[in-house]
Amino acid sequence: MHITRRDFLKHAGRSALALAAAPLVRPVSCHATAVPKTTVVAVTGERTAATRAALAMLGGIERFVRNGSRVVLKPNMSFPHPPDRATNTHPEVVATVAKLCRDAGAAEVLVLDYPFNPPDRCLQFSGIAEACRSLTKVYVLALTQEKFFKPHPLPRGKVLREVQLMRDVLESDVLINLPTAKSHATTGVSLGMKGLMGIIWDRRFFHARVDINQAIADLASGVKVDLVLLDGSRALVTGGPSGPGTVTFPNTILAGTDPVAVDAVGVSLAEWYNQKIPASGILHIAAAHQMGLGTMLHEEISILRKQV
Amino acid sequence: MRRCLQLAFLVVFITFFFSATYGVLLPADLLLRLDPLLGLSTFIAARQLSVPLLLSFFVLASALLAGRIFCGFICPLGTLFDLLPARNHAVPLKATPVNTVFFWCIALCCLWGINLAGIADPLALLSRVLTFVVRPVLDGVGTTFLDAARPAAEHLHWVRMARASLSQSVYAYATLTALILIGLGMLNWYSRRVWCRSVCPLGALLGICSQVALFRRRVTSRCTRCMQCVHACPMGAISDDPAVTWSAHCIMCHTCSHLCPEATIQFSPSPSIPSLQQQAFRYHRRTLLAACATSAFAIFSLRATPAHRSAQQAVLRPPGAVPENIFLQRCVRCGLCMAVCPTNTLQPCLFEATLEGIWSPRVVPRHAGCDQTCNRCGAVCPTGALRSLSLDEKKHAKIGTAWIDTNRCLVWSQSRVCFICDEQCPYNAIIFKWHEGVRKPFVIDVRCNGCGLCEQQCPVAGASAIIVTPQGELRLLTGSYLHEAHKLQLELKEDPGADHYLPEDTQSPPAPPPKNP
């Protein structure tokens, strides 16, 4: 990323203002802790600012990350593609959240994925490793060997009783899902819940042995995600998940604590495969809704919108 | 001094090799390019001068100047033999030197267009040992170390160290390669450097040159015939008469001159070439006859077989491989392409590509696909058997085409929902069409370059339900793959997908998407 002097001054000015205004904002954030679970915030605008604003509207990152927390961020970084291909979460979004977590006192922030593709190249080409390089306590890692996973029961699962889950996810205090908005040839779209397939070992099993849509819902039922922040700054609306495909620019960051609600709103961000698909038309979202993991009904979701 | 030089070259050889395998840009093939046997054999077999191998003429020239100094000072395999323990000193040879027969046999086969040099060439052999045996062992040792250190690293909060892992590269026929090395070690135990004297065809080539070399071993008249040098010579190059040297065997190591109590031995320029009676040349006719017979047998067994016709196209060659017959003439079986392959898809052949293709590389997609962001195999090939291509050119160097086995495909045979091959395909070569009420995968051949990512990831147990075969492979000796691919109307572009989740061009059930029945 190039930073012009003007940009720098602008950002510095804003940050200074924000800092100055911090005492004023605090009471608001305290209120915001009472943000109901079914709230999804949708912030349009420049992705870094939008990411910060979205988190602030949810009550600030401090609501999730405490001093000494071990945080895991799960972006999409499964493809050795540059950010303009929209197959991975945008590096600026990942770095922004990672920095906020660290500044909130996290002991360590692990940015993890299990890429299908050669891991070094994924971390490199996605730009995520580079974006987080200067951040101390932030580690961008690809875990591609079974020894980094361990069995985890899914008591509520209908087709899955157990999965091999990343050990680091199980041992973390906070799990923040940072999916990007993508179409997906198998599941229609790949948003938050589908993205969790990146923290399990045997993905083939999902495809080969069981109904993948129910399996995604089962996985979501057994993994506690503290926060989902969906990078809808771009959306890969065809050719997903690997692309190449048409990239549109919804220019929106979604965030919330209800994984089903965030995905349901995420579906409405773009026209997938040139058509409007209702959240109920995405079978894994419908399955998760049915299991009571959250709500996909628009009348039950309150969307807080903001422009930055 | 000699030992230092030897060790230095061994270290250089190994360093260059591993720097290449772990991605650092050093010319991994530099020492291979110094090898005149490989240079000459590819030149003769392929009837084409390989520019990188021109370096090897320096070594040839050095042999004309000072005999087999390459063997004594540079050859890393020779160094290895010097370092390994041996029961006996060199047992002097009385019979026809077999390596000379080997060399002429290889030369004659090359005239016939069959390049066997790489099989017995010391540098290629050592390079294969490093690739197939040493590298996997190092990976394994490294992994064991990391696993053992992991609890400590976690305790100390060394986050990266605690999660570090090495990918374990593995190669077919690694055991065979290891056994060959062990066999050579045992041979060396029986008699030091017996390989260098009796087998090595490179040694034979340099030995032939060294018979007319300018610098040679000379013994002055003060010699007391104490015979110490005769017994100490590591190559058995001194005859019963200490003054007579088999210069075809002498590696200019100076062991004898350091040892001589009377200091009668010199290695100095000598204008006169000793009479043929003192040379291995005296075996001239017998050697050539033996070589003719051996090469005739080799050519017969390699070419007079139906396998020669049918199996030539049995394997997938790496992208940028020149046409098969020229590929086999150029490939010196050094294994460097397999060593640098990041996905480990490149594996050696034994008989898969006929006996003639022994140790040549092939793509094994079920083991791993070809990384589309990598073009290293061509970049390290010392002989141009694999062309060094830009990433875009390499993408168009189609190595084969994927085929769906509809009897085993989960979608075709069981109407399950599975899209992994489609997910993996970088070029949208797999599309789904409605067929008997289910959306089923089809391969569009002009969009497939045979990378094999689909075959690797296919979730069907055992053999994949989508298999890449060499059908439609593109192999050019010269010229642009891009151009050729354009002529053939290949569409290996990363253009927006024609791949629609819900295709418009069919009278199909509308949204929501079809359920898994």
Side-chain angles (χ1 to χ4, degrees):
Chain A
M1 192 181 91
H2 292 284
I3 299 177
T4 61
R5 183 179 293 119
R6 180 178 299 179
D7 278 344
F8 173 77
L9 289 175
K10 233 193 272 181
H11 284 299
R14 275 189 206 157
S15 310
L17 265 179
L19 277 177
L24 305 174
V25 175
R26 189 162 296 251
V28 181
S29 335
C30 286
H31 266 293
T33 358
V35 174
K37 192 167 160 58
T38 54
T39 300
V40 174
V41 300
V43 184
T44 32
E46 193 276 322
R47 61 175 72 85
T48 309
T51 303
R52 288 172 175 275
L55 289 172
M57 286 163 73
L58 276 180
I61 196 77
E62 296 77 10
R63 186 182 146 197
F64 307 98
V65 178
R66 295 182 205 292
N67 213 6
S69 292
R70 298 180 65 191
V71 181
V72 169
L73 305 185
K74 163 61 186 77
N76 286 80
M77 48 180 189
S78 211
F79 295 95
H81 301 158
D84 59 10
R85 284 275 296 266
T87 49
N88 301 313
T89 308
H90 200 286
E92 289 168 16
V93 173
V94 180
T96 306
V97 177
K99 187 170 187 311
L100 285 172
C101 290
R102 189 200 58 178
D103 294 348
E108 63 194 28
V109 180
L110 304 181
V111 181
L112 303 178
D113 198 0
Y114 168 22
F116 259 133
N117 293 283
D120 297 346
R121 287 158 202 267
C122 291
L123 302 193
Q124 184 197 341
F125 291 152
S126 67
I128 293 175
E130 182 59 38
C132 296
R133 180 151 298 153
S134 60
L135 301 176
T136 52
K137 295 187 192 169
V138 176
Y139 304 91
V140 182
L141 301 163
L143 302 181
T144 54
Q145 296 196 356
E146 194 172 359
K147 57 189 161 208
F148 299 116
F149 295 75
K150 73 180 187 191
H152 177 65
L154 300 174
R156 295 166 70 188
K158 289 186 177 166
V159 295
L160 289 180
R161 293 267 163 254
E162 191 182 88
V163 285
Q164 296 257 80
L165 209 63
M166 272 183 194
R167 192 181 286 271
D168 280 315
V169 170
L170 292 173
E171 289 168 4
S172 68
D173 303 310
V174 185
L175 173 60
I176 299 179
N177 196 1
L178 295 177
T180 192
K182 294 199 280 188
S183 53
H184 193 283
T186 312
T187 58
V189 294
S190 171
L191 305 172
M193 288 189 288
K194 171 71 179 68
L196 288 184
M197 280 177 72
I199 58 170
I200 62 165
W201 172 247
D202 194 359
R203 280 177 285 191
R204 285 188 190 192
F205 181 82
F206 270 45
H207 289 271
R209 302 289 168 83
V210 296
D211 173 4
I212 185 170
N213 293 304
Q214 185 59 48
I216 292 169
D218 284 1
L219 177 62
S221 76
V223 180
K224 191 183 172 298
V225 178
D226 297 278
L227 168 68
V228 189
L229 187 133
L230 175 69
D231 171 19
S233 57
R234 310 136 309 151
L236 178 69
V237 295
T238 65
S242 56
T246 312
V247 179
T248 64
F249 298 89
N251 219 12
T252 303
I253 301 289
L254 298 182
T257 52
D258 178 341
V260 186
V262 174
D263 279 9
V265 178
V267 176
S268 67
L269 276 184
E271 291 193 358
W272 307 99
Y273 302 98
N274 302 316
Q275 52 196 315
K276 281 199 161 68
I277 302 179
S280 57
I282 302 297
L283 298 183
H284 67 266
I285 298 183
H289 175 83
Q290 291 231 292
M291 290 174 82
L293 307 179
T295 179
M296 66 172 180
L297 302 175
H298 274 273
E299 53 273 24
E300 289 177 8
I301 302 171
S302 52
I303 304 180
L304 293 182
R305 291 187 193 278
K306 192 179 176 186
Q307 180 106 30
V308 292
Chain B
M1 210 265 297
R2 181 174 84 97
R3 196 43 57 84
C4 291
L5 268 176
Q6 279 187 304
L7 285 174
F9 277 108
L10 183 67
V11 168
V12 166
F13 188 73
I14 293 177
T15 314
F16 276 31
F17 174 85
F18 282 109
S19 70
T21 60
Y22 292 109
V24 189
L25 289 172
L26 285 178
D29 56 341
L30 187 66
L31 278 187
L32 285 164
R33 285 197 256 144
L34 285 176
D35 187 328
L37 179 69
L38 301 181
L40 274 179
S41 63
T42 43
F43 170 48
I44 298 170
R47 275 87 168 153
Q48 199 156 34
L49 210 54
S50 166
V51 177
L53 286 168
L54 284 178
L55 263 183
S56 66
F57 285 90
F58 286 108
V59 172
L60 216 52
S62 80
L64 288 173
L65 189 69
R68 289 175 68 173
I69 49 170
F70 179 84
C71 306
F73 291 79
I74 301 179
C75 177
L77 192 64
T79 307
L80 206 61
F81 287 142
D82 281 348
L83 295 175
L84 286 173
R87 187 189 64 173
N88 292 324
H89 262 304
V91 179
L93 286 175
K94 298 277 184 270
T96 306
V98 186
N99 58 346
T100 317
V101 177
F102 258 38
F103 169 73
W104 286 113
C105 170
I106 287 171
L108 289 170
C109 285
C110 281
L111 277 178
W112 205 266
I114 300 175
N115 189 352
L116 300 174
I119 300 169
D121 180 86
L123 296 188
L125 190 144
L126 196 61
S127 176
R128 285 199 303 270
V129 169
L130 288 178
T131 305
F132 305 154
V133 183
V134 177
R135 168 95 192 278
V137 168
L138 284 183
D139 285 346
V141 169
T143 300
T144 313
F145 167 75
L146 287 175
D147 286 349
R150 186 158 292 119
E154 268 170 19
H155 187 72
L156 293 167
H157 287 282
W158 294 350
V159 176
R160 280 182 195 283
M161 175 79 173
R163 288 159 191 82
S165 62
L166 286 170
S167 62
Q168 174 74 54
S169 48
V170 285
Y171 295 92
Y173 314 120
T175 317
L176 181 60
T177 313
L179 283 175
I180 290 173
L181 185 72
I182 292 168
L184 293 181
M186 282 162 63
L187 219 56
N188 192 60
W189 169 258
Y190 164 72
S191 168
R192 188 176 288 287
R193 275 197 180 237
V194 67
W195 160 275
C196 309
R197 286 175 293 140
S198 311
V199 188
C200 181
L202 172 62
L205 168 61
L206 296 174
I208 290 166
C209 297
S210 66
Q211 295 179 29
V212 292
L214 182 62
F215 281 79
R216 54 181 65 247
R217 176 175 176 272
R218 289 198 303 172
V219 183
T220 61
S221 52
R222 282 180 294 134
C223 172
T224 60
R225 301 180 62 84
C226 68
M227 306 302 266
Q228 283 188 49
C229 59
V230 176
H231 297 303
C233 177
M235 290 292 285
I238 305 170
S239 82
D240 295 340
D241 175 359
V244 176
T245 317
W246 309 128
S247 30
H249 286 170
C250 176
I251 57 170
M252 311 293 279
C253 66
H254 291 54
T255 306
C256 52
S257 63
H258 291 314
L259 193 81
C260 181
E262 307 293 331
T264 62
I265 302 169
Q266 294 164 351
F267 287 84
S268 52
S270 69
S272 69
I273 292 167
S275 69
L276 285 183
Q277 261 59 44
Q278 290 184 17
Q279 295 298 333
F281 264 142
R282 66 180 164 161
Y283 300 115
H284 199 76
R285 191 180 304 147
R286 214 182 294 167
T287 311
L288 270 185
L289 277 175
C292 284
T294 335
S295 58
F297 179 73
I299 293 165
F300 167 76
S301 48
L302 291 177
R303 288 288 166 89
T305 156
H308 173 62
R309 281 195 215 159
S310 57
Q312 287 262 318
Q313 292 301 307
V315 296
L316 291 173
R317 292 297 187 190
V322 294
E324 183 71 11
N325 54 344
I326 306 171
F327 172 78
L328 287 177
Q329 286 160 356
R330 285 190 180 178
C331 175
V332 293
R333 325 298 155 92
C334 63
L336 269 181
C337 51
M338 301 178 240
V340 299
C341 176
T343 69
N344 201 208
T345 180
L346 292 188
Q347 294 285 327
C349 297
L350 196 60
F351 303 122
E352 291 87 346
T354 75
L355 191 56
E356 200 179 336
I358 187 171
W359 304 123
S360 62
R362 66 178 182 133
V363 175
V364 183
R366 191 53 164 160
H367 182 56
C370 174
D371 182 352
Q372 296 299 290
T373 61
C374 166
N375 54 0
R376 284 155 70 181
C377 50
V380 296
C381 181
T383 60
L386 305 179
R387 290 172 61 191
S388 183
L389 302 173
S390 72
L391 278 176
D392 202 29
E393 281 279 329
K394 181 234 165 188
K395 183 168 84 182
H396 290 83
K398 181 179 168 91
I399 62 170
T401 310
W403 301 84
I404 293 175
D405 182 348
T406 54
N407 287 322
R408 305 182 65 248
C409 171
L410 294 173
V411 186
W412 278 94
S413 63
Q414 300 183 356
S415 299
R416 283 182 179 278
V417 180
C418 178
F419 293 72
I420 289 202
C421 49
D422 181 30
E423 258 183 41
Q424 290 302 316
C425 182
Y427 308 113
N428 274 314
I430 293 163
I431 61 154
F432 279 78
K433 290 190 214 164
W434 287 100
H435 183 267
E436 294 170 359
V438 179
R439 295 178 61 237
K440 290 179 178 168
F442 291 80
V443 177
I444 301 182
D445 59 346
V446 293
R447 290 192 197 154
C448 175
N449 74 354
C451 72
L453 292 168
C454 52
E455 180 174 337
Q456 180 196 0
Q457 297 292 348
C458 175
V460 173
S464 174
I466 183 163
I467 288 171
V468 182
T469 72
Q471 174 72 27
E473 64 176 353
L474 203 51
R475 299 183 57 174
L476 303 177
L477 190 55
T478 53
S480 160
Y481 282 93
L482 259 166
H483 268 278
E484 195 62 24
H486 186 70
K487 267 192 248 166
L488 294 169
Q489 299 184 313
L490 300 188
E491 297 170 26
L492 296 166
K493 285 186 221 108
E494 312 211 320
D495 57 348
D499 164 27
H500 288 266
Y501 178 54
L502 301 169
E504 308 145 10
D505 53 342
T506 49
Q507 300 91 34
S508 53
K515 281 190 187 139
N516 186 5

